[in-house]
Amino acid sequence: MRRSLTEHDGPGVVQTRTVPSWSAIALFTIGWLCGWLMLWRVRPLPAAPDRRGAARPPVSVVVPARDEEASLPALLASLTTGLGAGDELIVVDDHSTDATAALAAAGGARVIAAPALPAGWAGKPHACHVGASHARHEVLVFLDADVSLVPGTVDALAHQLDLHPDELVSVQPHHRAVRAHEQASWLFNVLALMGAAASTPFGERVRTRVAFGPVIAIRRATYDAIGGHAHPDVRGAVLEDIALARRVERSRLFAGTRHGASFRMYPRDLRQVVEGWTKGFGIGFDATPWWAVLATAAWVTSLAGGVVTSPWFALASLVQLAVLVPRVGSFRWWAVVAYPLAVVLLVAVLARSLWRRRRGGTVTWKGRSLQPDQATE
């Protein structure tokens, strides 16, 4: 993909330099532009309008939690000013071996112990189903325990359902990467937003039927009509968020900002990062529109090929990443500069996920064995 140019620099002096071929320039440019296309603008969740004293409908917040004593207090603290007098907060203790249940009760939640996991169910959809079955209100909000909200988030979710009562509303929180190993997730987070196809210049004209598991809101009537987490295609899915979203006509997708909804993914160690992304990365590709798969693949190819083809390509990629990565999370500059290593990790995790799908292997997640190829439809 390179061509050599010979230059005569004075009598008897010949210099040869290698430059990218026109085909290499074209391929890199296409991939680089695809990166801008797929993450053109993340859409923050619009604030709810002032109701002028009128109370919104009450909300049931359901939090499935398994061994979340390190994460749960931050979520509960963020909800103290986000819930109204008529709202309810339910934490489903999914057979935790730590202080999850005690912390939830101390934080004001109604704690429900999940029954034994039935055959054919994955842990999280079962916990969500249990929580929803105990919820009293029309608006259901499912939150992961590692999420932190800002005041007004629950109001904004309820307002979106007022506008779109038959749809599902979901938010991908801003990723707070604190420790060194957490920086390894930045490329996966970028691809998650790109694959959702909700951040392109076309905005809401692109119909989406995926969801982000950390924050999901849906009306009870819609939830019951599609079978909720008990639907056969949802109950055993590793990515229950995508499986649930495929049952509705459309999902409304938003992204958290630095000062909005946020979370910490896989804070324990690098092994947790690898296992976490392995368990559903291949399924995520299956749920992505074909054109979005091609565009994101072209972008990743520009990252991988550009760095070995030309230093100017590498510089162009760095400039792009300096703009795009802060849209998905708070990552360190050195992790972005080392983007070739992130591409290597991405390829390794994807290969690992596809291999396990082919061989029928499992990943271990919170003490349970999961099949990364679990169907989502």
Side-chain angles (χ1 to χ4, degrees), residues 144-166:
D144 280 0
D146 56 4
V147 172
S148 292
L149 302 182
V150 294
T153 302
V154 175
D155 294 342
L157 291 169
H159 177 64
Q160 287 297 313
L161 290 178
D162 283 343
L163 298 176
H164 313 286
D166 299 327

Side-chain angles (χ1 to χ4, degrees), residues 58 64-65 67 71 117 151 171 180 218 225 241 259 305 308 315 324-325 332 339 347 372:
D67 294 336
S71 302
L117 188 64
V171 180
I218 189 170
D241 47 358
H259 303 294
V308 298
L315 179 60
L324 298 186
V325 174
R332 306 288 178 84
Y339 73 87
V347 173

